[in-house]
Each structure stands twice: as structure tokens, then as C-alpha cells.
């Protein structure tokens, strides 16, 4: 129940295309859903995050779509650029309970954007 | 700039030789986390401190210990590193009641020979 399932494992997109990464969760106590971007040899950096009270959040070329009833959320990268090539992790955490604030990560998606 | 700093960035140790990794933060955050990340895998939480309260994940091996002498610093001690402990070790901080964001350091790449 603590798992966050992420797909696909890898993704190749042409420059200018749309990259879509999906995540699903089971624990209805989760109330914070961030996406982290990680470049090789670097620590993860927060890209964008959403809470269950909204169905979509957009920041520049990055959009999170959230479906509370389906317990799914996704990251859309519009106009994908070669500089977006990185590994993307979805995550979830709950504000309350024994694991308060602890992030549960998906397994990651390696995105390659071809010029 | 406020940040999370990890030293060293690269650490090589021998099988069974104790090693200590350090993390410092200028964010004044209450919570500090240690993660282990192996190649092509997600970060795996080892333990975290909420102020001085230590919280160990159930599956964290006894070989891993941690110290937090003050708000700014946190250490990861690996008492007897095995070949399977070679990984990137990430430190992160957060401030409950704030944005819930965890701020990650650049990591320490540990090699065990």
C-alpha cells in the first residue's frame, strides 16, 4: 500500500514533442505528490508538486495532472528539449501517520530527448 | 545561497573499513534525511532525524548509523562497508509546516574496494 508505481521505465522523445510519465498509488492518506528531476551524478531537485485539492498544476512547460478517484498522477513536459534529458521520479507523502513527511519514490523514468 | 552540502563528493573505502559521510545545511530545517541510491534505482530512505529524534527505517541494516550533533550537521557512519554498500548517499532536509519540499544535497558517491 506504500508503493508508488511509475511508468514507463524509459522514454525517448523527439525535440519539441510531449513527454508523459505516469504514476499510481494506493495509500489514500498521501496528500503531497512531487516530481523530482535528477541529472547524472547530482541529487534530485524538485520540479513541480501538487496536492489533492487541485486536478492540474502548470509551471512553464511542466504540468501535473492529478486524478484523485483513480489514484493516479502524471507529468507532462511540453516542447521537450534535449536539456530535459534526465531521470524523473514521482513521489508521494502523507502529512500524518507513522511515516509523516517521508517520501515514497517511484522507480524513476529515464527520459532522453533527441535533437 | 541556502543549501545542503555533502562532503566528500566521492569516497573510496576498503571492504570492512569504517567510513563517515557528512551533511550540513544552511536552511535551518528541522528534519534531515539520509537516502541510499544505487545505480538506476530510486532513492531509498535509511533514516531521518526530526530535530534530535532519530527514526530508523525497519529495513535499514545495523551496519548503518547516524549522528546529528546539532541542527546544521548530520553524519552517516557505515561501520563495516560491504561491496553491496557501494552507492550514492543523499542527504536531504525539510521543514514540516512549510512547503513539504525535501531539499537534496549533491550526494556522496561511495566506492568499496
Amino acid at each position: 500500500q506504500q508503493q508508488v508505481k511509475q511508468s514507463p521505465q524509459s522514454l525517448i522523445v523527439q525535440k519539441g514533442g510531449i513527454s508523459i510519465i505516469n504514476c499510481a498509488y494506493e495509500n489514500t492518506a498521501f496528500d503531497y505528490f512531487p516530481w523530482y528531476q535528477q541529472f547524472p551524478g547530482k541529487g534530485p531537485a524538485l520540479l513541480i508538486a501538487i496536492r489533492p485539492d487541485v486536478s492540474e498544476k502548470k509551471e512553464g512547460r511542466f504540468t501535473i495532472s492529478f486524478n484523485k478517484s483513480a489514484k493516479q498522477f502524471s507529468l507532462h513536459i511540453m516542447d521537450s528539449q534535449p536539456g530535459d534529458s534526465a531521470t524523473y521520479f514521482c513521489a508521494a507523502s502523507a502529512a500524518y501517520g507513522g511515516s509523516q513527511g517521508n517520501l515514497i519514490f517511484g522507480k524513476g523514468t529515464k527520459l532522453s530527448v533527441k535533437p | 545561497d541556502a543549501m545542503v552540502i555533502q562532503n566528500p563528493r566521492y569516497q573510496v573505502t576498503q571492504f570492512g573499513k569504517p567510513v563517515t559521510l557528512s551533511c550540513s545545511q544552511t536552511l535551518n530545517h528541522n528534519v534531515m534525511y539520509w537516502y541510499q541510491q544505487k545505480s538506476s534505482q530510486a532513492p531509498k530512505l535509511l533514516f531521518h532525524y526530526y530535530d534530535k529524534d532519530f527514526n530508523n527505517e525497519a529495513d535499514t541494516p545495523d551496519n548503518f548509523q547516524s549522528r546529528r550533533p546539532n541542527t546544521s550537521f548530520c553524519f552517516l557512519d557505515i561501520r563495516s562497508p560491504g561491496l553491496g554498500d557501494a552507492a550514492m548517499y543523499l542527504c536531504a532536509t525539510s521543514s514540516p509546516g512549510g512547503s513539504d519540499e525535501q531539499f537534496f544535497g549533491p550526494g556522496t558517491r561511495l566506492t568499496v574496494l
Side-chain angles (χ1 to χ4, degrees):
Chain A
Q1 194 178 19
Q2 282 290 88
Q3 280 187 331
V4 176
K5 294 182 179 179
Q6 183 172 347
S7 63
Q9 188 174 356
S10 63
L11 181 62
I12 299 174
V13 174
Q14 289 296 122
K15 179 182 175 182
I18 302 173
S19 304
I20 301 174
I21 305 171
N22 300 299
C23 284
Y25 64 96
E26 289 295 325
N27 188 350
T28 55
F30 288 150
D31 61 356
Y32 175 67
F33 302 90
W35 284 90
Y36 280 84
Q37 180 189 55
Q38 186 176 29
F39 292 104
K42 307 287 187 184
L46 180 68
L47 190 62
I48 187 173
I50 198 168
R51 295 193 183 276
D53 53 344
V54 296
S55 60
E56 186 175 281
K57 183 174 181 180
K58 184 176 181 179
E59 291 183 1
R61 295 184 294 110
F62 302 93
T63 300
I64 299 180
S65 296
F66 185 81
N67 186 329
K68 188 174 181 178
S69 61
K71 291 184 280 187
Q72 294 175 346
F73 58 111
S74 60
L75 175 69
H76 295 235
I77 306 175
M78 311 300 286
D79 187 26
S80 299
Q81 299 297 313
D84 297 331
S85 298
T87 299
Y88 293 81
F89 292 97
C90 64
S93 69
Y96 302 98
S99 299
Q100 177 185 354
N102 289 358
L103 287 174
I104 307 299
F105 283 92
K107 293 194 172 186
T109 296
K110 186 173 182 179
L111 171 65
S112 295
V113 181
K114 299 300 184 185
Chain B
D1 285 342
M3 57 175 57
V4 181
I5 302 162
Q6 290 189 245
N7 286 304
R9 294 293 314 279
Y10 302 91
Q11 176 74 57
V12 180
T13 190
Q14 291 182 331
F15 183 94
K17 185 175 181 181
V19 65
T20 294
L21 311 181
S22 73
C23 176
S24 64
Q25 54 130 340
T26 60
L27 297 161
N28 203 33
H29 283 169
N30 304 78
V31 190
M32 294 186 78
Y33 305 83
W34 278 106
Y35 290 86
Q36 179 192 65
Q37 186 178 28
K38 295 189 175 180
S39 182
S40 301
Q41 295 185 21
K44 177 180 180 297
L45 183 64
L46 296 174
F47 24 60
H48 73 278
Y49 278 92
Y50 192 127
D51 293 324
K52 285 194 173 292
D53 291 335
F54 178 71
N55 298 273
N56 198 35
E57 292 300 295
D59 57 354
T60 298
D62 293 339
N63 198 26
F64 291 86
Q65 303 287 320
S66 185
R67 296 170 283 134
R68 189 179 186 185
N70 54 53
T71 301
S72 300
F73 285 88
C74 196
F75 299 97
L76 170 61
D77 301 308
I78 309 176
R79 293 192 295 187
S80 181
L83 297 178
D85 296 328
M88 175 79 87
Y89 290 88
L90 296 162
C91 175
T93 72
S94 71
S95 180
S99 68
D100 287 323
E101 178 180 354
Q102 286 192 20
F103 294 81
F104 283 83
T108 295
R109 170 73 65 188
L110 177 68
T111 300
V112 181
L113 300 178

CSV table of all heavy atoms in Angstrom, one decimal, chain A residues 55-96:
chain,number,residue,atom,x,y,z
A,55,SER,N,-6.7,19.5,-9.6
A,55,SER,CA,-6.6,18.4,-10.6
A,55,SER,C,-5.4,18.7,-11.6
A,55,SER,O,-5.0,17.8,-12.3
A,55,SER,CB,-7.9,18.2,-11.4
A,55,SER,OG,-8.2,19.4,-12.1
A,56,GLU,N,-4.9,19.9,-11.6
A,56,GLU,CA,-3.8,20.2,-12.5
A,56,GLU,C,-3.0,21.4,-12.0
A,56,GLU,O,-3.6,22.3,-11.4
A,56,GLU,CB,-4.4,20.5,-13.9
A,56,GLU,CG,-3.4,20.7,-15.0
A,56,GLU,CD,-4.0,21.0,-16.3
A,56,GLU,OE1,-4.4,20.0,-16.9
A,56,GLU,OE2,-4.1,22.1,-16.8
A,57,LYS,N,-1.7,21.3,-12.2
A,57,LYS,CA,-0.8,22.4,-11.9
A,57,LYS,C,0.2,22.6,-13.0
A,57,LYS,O,0.7,21.6,-13.4
A,57,LYS,CB,-0.2,22.1,-10.5
A,57,LYS,CG,0.7,23.3,-10.1
A,57,LYS,CD,1.3,23.0,-8.7
A,57,LYS,CE,2.1,24.2,-8.2
A,57,LYS,NZ,2.7,24.0,-6.9
A,58,LYS,N,0.4,23.8,-13.4
A,58,LYS,CA,1.3,24.0,-14.5
A,58,LYS,C,2.3,25.0,-14.1
A,58,LYS,O,2.0,26.1,-13.5
A,58,LYS,CB,0.5,24.6,-15.7
A,58,LYS,CG,1.3,24.8,-17.0
A,58,LYS,CD,0.4,25.3,-18.1
A,58,LYS,CE,1.2,25.5,-19.4
A,58,LYS,NZ,0.3,25.9,-20.5
A,59,GLU,N,3.6,24.7,-14.5
A,59,GLU,CA,4.7,25.6,-14.2
A,59,GLU,C,5.5,25.6,-15.5
A,59,GLU,O,6.3,24.7,-15.7
A,59,GLU,CB,5.5,25.3,-13.0
A,59,GLU,CG,4.7,25.5,-11.7
A,59,GLU,CD,5.6,25.2,-10.5
A,59,GLU,OE1,6.7,24.8,-10.6
A,59,GLU,OE2,5.0,25.3,-9.3
A,60,GLY,N,5.4,26.6,-16.3
A,60,GLY,CA,6.1,26.7,-17.5
A,60,GLY,C,5.7,25.5,-18.5
A,60,GLY,O,4.6,25.3,-18.7
A,61,ARG,N,6.7,24.8,-18.9
A,61,ARG,CA,6.5,23.6,-19.8
A,61,ARG,C,6.0,22.4,-19.0
A,61,ARG,O,5.7,21.3,-19.7
A,61,ARG,CB,7.7,23.3,-20.6
A,61,ARG,CG,8.1,24.5,-21.5
A,61,ARG,CD,9.3,24.1,-22.4
A,61,ARG,NE,10.5,23.9,-21.7
A,61,ARG,CZ,11.1,22.7,-21.5
A,61,ARG,NH1,10.6,21.6,-22.0
A,61,ARG,NH2,12.2,22.6,-20.8
A,62,PHE,N,6.0,22.4,-17.7
A,62,PHE,CA,5.7,21.2,-16.9
A,62,PHE,C,4.3,21.3,-16.3
A,62,PHE,O,4.0,22.3,-15.7
A,62,PHE,CB,6.8,21.1,-15.8
A,62,PHE,CG,8.2,21.0,-16.3
A,62,PHE,CD1,9.0,22.1,-16.5
A,62,PHE,CD2,8.7,19.8,-16.7
A,62,PHE,CE1,10.3,22.1,-16.9
A,62,PHE,CE2,10.0,19.7,-17.2
A,62,PHE,CZ,10.8,20.8,-17.3
A,63,THR,N,3.6,20.2,-16.5
A,63,THR,CA,2.2,20.2,-15.9
A,63,THR,C,2.0,18.8,-15.2
A,63,THR,O,2.5,17.8,-15.7
A,63,THR,CB,1.2,20.3,-17.1
A,63,THR,OG1,1.3,21.5,-17.7
A,63,THR,CG2,-0.2,20.2,-16.5
A,64,ILE,N,1.4,18.9,-14.0
A,64,ILE,CA,1.0,17.7,-13.3
A,64,ILE,C,-0.5,17.6,-13.5
A,64,ILE,O,-1.2,18.6,-13.2
A,64,ILE,CB,1.3,17.7,-11.8
A,64,ILE,CG1,2.8,17.8,-11.5
A,64,ILE,CG2,0.8,16.5,-11.2
A,64,ILE,CD1,3.1,17.9,-10.0
A,65,SER,N,-1.0,16.4,-13.9
A,65,SER,CA,-2.4,16.1,-13.9
A,65,SER,C,-2.7,15.1,-12.8
A,65,SER,O,-1.9,14.2,-12.7
A,65,SER,CB,-2.8,15.5,-15.3
A,65,SER,OG,-2.6,16.5,-16.3
A,66,PHE,N,-3.7,15.4,-12.0
A,66,PHE,CA,-4.0,14.6,-10.8
A,66,PHE,C,-5.4,14.1,-10.9
A,66,PHE,O,-6.3,14.8,-11.1
A,66,PHE,CB,-3.7,15.4,-9.6
A,66,PHE,CG,-3.9,14.6,-8.3
A,66,PHE,CD1,-2.9,13.8,-7.9
A,66,PHE,CD2,-5.1,14.6,-7.6
A,66,PHE,CE1,-3.0,13.1,-6.7
A,66,PHE,CE2,-5.2,13.9,-6.4
A,66,PHE,CZ,-4.2,13.1,-6.0
A,67,ASN,N,-5.6,12.8,-10.8
A,67,ASN,CA,-6.9,12.1,-10.7
A,67,ASN,C,-7.1,11.4,-9.4
A,67,ASN,O,-6.6,10.3,-9.2
A,67,ASN,CB,-7.0,11.1,-11.9
A,67,ASN,CG,-8.4,10.6,-12.0
A,67,ASN,OD1,-9.1,10.4,-11.1
A,67,ASN,ND2,-8.8,10.3,-13.2
A,68,LYS,N,-7.8,12.1,-8.5
A,68,LYS,CA,-7.9,11.6,-7.1
A,68,LYS,C,-8.7,10.2,-7.1
A,68,LYS,O,-8.3,9.3,-6.4
A,68,LYS,CB,-8.6,12.6,-6.2
A,68,LYS,CG,-8.6,12.2,-4.8
A,68,LYS,CD,-9.1,13.4,-3.9
A,68,LYS,CE,-9.1,13.0,-2.5
A,68,LYS,NZ,-9.6,14.1,-1.6
A,69,SER,N,-9.7,10.2,-7.9
A,69,SER,CA,-10.6,8.9,-7.8
A,69,SER,C,-9.8,7.7,-8.4
A,69,SER,O,-10.0,6.6,-7.9
A,69,SER,CB,-11.9,9.2,-8.6
A,69,SER,OG,-11.6,9.5,-9.9
A,70,ALA,N,-9.0,8.0,-9.4
A,70,ALA,CA,-8.2,6.9,-10.0
A,70,ALA,C,-6.9,6.6,-9.2
A,70,ALA,O,-6.2,5.7,-9.5
A,70,ALA,CB,-8.0,7.1,-11.4
A,71,LYS,N,-6.6,7.5,-8.3
A,71,LYS,CA,-5.3,7.5,-7.6
A,71,LYS,C,-4.1,7.4,-8.6
A,71,LYS,O,-3.2,6.6,-8.5
A,71,LYS,CB,-5.3,6.3,-6.6
A,71,LYS,CG,-6.3,6.5,-5.4
A,71,LYS,CD,-6.2,5.4,-4.4
A,71,LYS,CE,-7.0,4.2,-4.9
A,71,LYS,NZ,-7.1,3.2,-3.8
A,72,GLN,N,-4.2,8.4,-9.5
A,72,GLN,CA,-3.1,8.5,-10.5
A,72,GLN,C,-2.7,9.9,-10.7
A,72,GLN,O,-3.5,10.8,-10.5
A,72,GLN,CB,-3.6,7.9,-11.8
A,72,GLN,CG,-3.9,6.4,-11.8
A,72,GLN,CD,-4.5,5.9,-13.1
A,72,GLN,OE1,-4.9,6.7,-13.9
A,72,GLN,NE2,-4.5,4.6,-13.3
A,73,PHE,N,-1.4,10.1,-11.0
A,73,PHE,CA,-1.0,11.5,-11.4
A,73,PHE,C,0.1,11.3,-12.4
A,73,PHE,O,0.8,10.3,-12.5
A,73,PHE,CB,-0.5,12.3,-10.2
A,73,PHE,CG,0.6,11.7,-9.4
A,73,PHE,CD1,1.9,12.2,-9.4
A,73,PHE,CD2,0.4,10.6,-8.6
A,73,PHE,CE1,2.9,11.7,-8.6
A,73,PHE,CE2,1.4,10.0,-7.8
A,73,PHE,CZ,2.7,10.6,-7.8
A,74,SER,N,0.2,12.3,-13.2
A,74,SER,CA,1.2,12.3,-14.4
A,74,SER,C,1.9,13.6,-14.6
A,74,SER,O,1.4,14.7,-14.2
A,74,SER,CB,0.4,11.9,-15.6
A,74,SER,OG,-0.6,12.8,-16.0
A,75,LEU,N,3.1,13.5,-15.2
A,75,LEU,CA,3.9,14.7,-15.5
A,75,LEU,C,3.9,14.8,-17.0
A,75,LEU,O,4.1,13.8,-17.7
A,75,LEU,CB,5.3,14.5,-15.0
A,75,LEU,CG,6.3,15.6,-15.4
A,75,LEU,CD1,5.9,16.9,-14.7
A,75,LEU,CD2,7.7,15.2,-15.1
A,76,HIS,N,3.5,16.0,-17.5
A,76,HIS,CA,3.6,16.3,-18.9
A,76,HIS,C,4.7,17.3,-19.1
A,76,HIS,O,4.6,18.4,-18.5
A,76,HIS,CB,2.3,16.8,-19.4
A,76,HIS,CG,1.1,15.8,-19.3
A,76,HIS,ND1,0.4,15.4,-20.4
A,76,HIS,CD2,0.7,15.1,-18.3
A,76,HIS,CE1,-0.5,14.5,-20.0
A,76,HIS,NE2,-0.4,14.3,-18.7
A,77,ILE,N,5.6,17.0,-20.0
A,77,ILE,CA,6.6,18.0,-20.4
A,77,ILE,C,6.3,18.4,-21.8
A,77,ILE,O,6.5,17.6,-22.8
A,77,ILE,CB,8.0,17.5,-20.3
A,77,ILE,CG1,8.3,16.9,-18.9
A,77,ILE,CG2,9.1,18.6,-20.6
A,77,ILE,CD1,9.6,16.2,-18.7
A,78,MET,N,5.9,19.7,-22.0
A,78,MET,CA,5.6,20.2,-23.3
A,78,MET,C,6.8,20.7,-24.0
A,78,MET,O,7.8,21.1,-23.3
A,78,MET,CB,4.6,21.3,-23.2
A,78,MET,CG,3.3,21.0,-22.4
A,78,MET,SD,2.4,19.6,-23.0
A,78,MET,CE,1.6,20.4,-24.4
A,79,ASP,N,6.9,20.6,-25.3
A,79,ASP,CA,8.0,21.2,-26.1
A,79,ASP,C,9.3,20.6,-25.5
A,79,ASP,O,10.2,21.4,-25.1
A,79,ASP,CB,8.0,22.7,-26.1
A,79,ASP,CG,9.0,23.3,-27.0
A,79,ASP,OD1,9.4,22.7,-27.9
A,79,ASP,OD2,9.5,24.5,-26.7
A,80,SER,N,9.4,19.3,-25.4
A,80,SER,CA,10.6,18.7,-24.7
A,80,SER,C,11.9,19.1,-25.4
A,80,SER,O,12.0,19.2,-26.6
A,80,SER,CB,10.4,17.2,-24.7
A,80,SER,OG,9.3,16.8,-24.0
A,81,GLN,N,12.9,19.4,-24.6
A,81,GLN,CA,14.2,19.8,-25.1
A,81,GLN,C,15.3,18.9,-24.7
A,81,GLN,O,15.2,18.2,-23.6
A,81,GLN,CB,14.5,21.2,-24.5
A,81,GLN,CG,13.5,22.3,-24.9
A,81,GLN,CD,13.5,22.5,-26.4
A,81,GLN,OE1,14.6,22.7,-27.0
A,81,GLN,NE2,12.3,22.6,-27.0
A,82,PRO,N,16.4,18.8,-25.4
A,82,PRO,CA,17.5,17.9,-25.0
A,82,PRO,C,18.0,18.1,-23.6
A,82,PRO,O,18.4,17.2,-22.9
A,82,PRO,CB,18.6,18.3,-26.1
A,82,PRO,CG,17.8,18.7,-27.3
A,82,PRO,CD,16.6,19.4,-26.7
A,83,GLY,N,17.9,19.4,-23.1
A,83,GLY,CA,18.3,19.7,-21.7
A,83,GLY,C,17.4,19.1,-20.7
A,83,GLY,O,17.7,19.1,-19.5
A,84,ASP,N,16.2,18.6,-21.1
A,84,ASP,CA,15.3,17.9,-20.2
A,84,ASP,C,15.7,16.4,-20.0
A,84,ASP,O,15.1,15.7,-19.2
A,84,ASP,CB,13.8,17.9,-20.8
A,84,ASP,CG,13.3,19.3,-20.9
A,84,ASP,OD1,13.7,20.2,-20.1
A,84,ASP,OD2,12.5,19.5,-21.8
A,85,SER,N,16.6,16.0,-20.8
A,85,SER,CA,17.1,14.6,-20.6
A,85,SER,C,17.6,14.3,-19.2
A,85,SER,O,18.6,15.0,-18.8
A,85,SER,CB,18.1,14.2,-21.7
A,85,SER,OG,17.6,14.4,-23.0
A,86,ALA,N,17.0,13.5,-18.5
A,86,ALA,CA,17.3,13.3,-17.1
A,86,ALA,C,16.4,12.1,-16.6
A,86,ALA,O,15.6,11.5,-17.4
A,86,ALA,CB,17.0,14.5,-16.2
A,87,THR,N,16.6,11.7,-15.3
A,87,THR,CA,15.7,10.7,-14.7
A,87,THR,C,14.7,11.5,-13.9
A,87,THR,O,15.0,12.4,-13.1
A,87,THR,CB,16.5,9.7,-13.9
A,87,THR,OG1,17.4,9.0,-14.7
A,87,THR,CG2,15.5,8.7,-13.2
A,88,TYR,N,13.4,11.1,-14.0
A,88,TYR,CA,12.3,11.8,-13.3
A,88,TYR,C,11.7,10.8,-12.3
A,88,TYR,O,11.4,9.6,-12.7
A,88,TYR,CB,11.3,12.3,-14.3
A,88,TYR,CG,11.8,13.4,-15.2
A,88,TYR,CD1,12.6,13.1,-16.3
A,88,TYR,CD2,11.5,14.7,-14.8
A,88,TYR,CE1,13.1,14.2,-17.0
A,88,TYR,CE2,12.0,15.7,-15.6
A,88,TYR,CZ,12.8,15.5,-16.7
A,88,TYR,OH,13.3,16.5,-17.5
A,89,PHE,N,11.6,11.2,-11.1
A,89,PHE,CA,10.9,10.4,-10.1
A,89,PHE,C,9.7,11.1,-9.6
A,89,PHE,O,9.7,12.2,-9.3
A,89,PHE,CB,11.9,10.3,-8.9
A,89,PHE,CG,13.1,9.5,-9.1
A,89,PHE,CD1,14.3,10.1,-9.4
A,89,PHE,CD2,13.1,8.1,-9.0
A,89,PHE,CE1,15.5,9.4,-9.6
A,89,PHE,CE2,14.3,7.4,-9.3
A,89,PHE,CZ,15.4,8.0,-9.6
A,90,CYS,N,8.6,10.3,-9.6
A,90,CYS,CA,7.4,10.8,-8.9
A,90,CYS,C,7.5,10.3,-7.4
A,90,CYS,O,8.3,9.4,-7.1
A,90,CYS,CB,6.1,10.2,-9.5
A,90,CYS,SG,5.9,8.4,-9.4
A,91,ALA,N,6.8,10.9,-6.6
A,91,ALA,CA,6.9,10.6,-5.1
A,91,ALA,C,5.5,10.9,-4.5
A,91,ALA,O,4.7,11.7,-5.1
A,91,ALA,CB,8.0,11.3,-4.4
A,92,ALA,N,5.3,10.4,-3.3
A,92,ALA,CA,4.1,10.8,-2.5
A,92,ALA,C,4.5,10.7,-1.1
A,92,ALA,O,5.4,10.0,-0.6
A,92,ALA,CB,3.0,9.8,-2.8
A,93,SER,N,3.8,11.6,-0.3
A,93,SER,CA,4.0,11.5,1.2
A,93,SER,C,2.7,11.9,1.8
A,93,SER,O,1.7,12.4,1.2
A,93,SER,CB,5.1,12.5,1.6
A,93,SER,OG,4.7,13.8,1.4
A,94,ALA,N,2.6,11.6,3.1
A,94,ALA,CA,1.4,11.8,3.9
A,94,ALA,C,1.8,12.8,5.0
A,94,ALA,O,2.8,12.6,5.6
A,94,ALA,CB,0.8,10.5,4.5
A,95,ALA,N,0.8,13.7,5.3
A,95,ALA,CA,1.1,14.7,6.4
A,95,ALA,C,1.0,14.1,7.7
A,95,ALA,O,1.6,14.6,8.7
A,95,ALA,CB,0.2,15.9,6.2
A,96,TYR,N,0.3,13.0,7.9
A,96,TYR,CA,0.1,12.4,9.2
A,96,TYR,C,0.4,10.9,9.2
A,96,TYR,O,0.5,10.3,8.1
A,96,TYR,CB,-1.4,12.6,9.6
A,96,TYR,CG,-1.8,14.1,9.6
A,96,TYR,CD1,-2.5,14.6,8.6
A,96,TYR,CD2,-1.4,14.9,10.7
A,96,TYR,CE1,-2.8,16.0,8.6
A,96,TYR,CE2,-1.8,16.2,10.7
A,96,TYR,CZ,-2.4,16.8,9.7
A,96,TYR,OH,-2.8,18.1,9.7
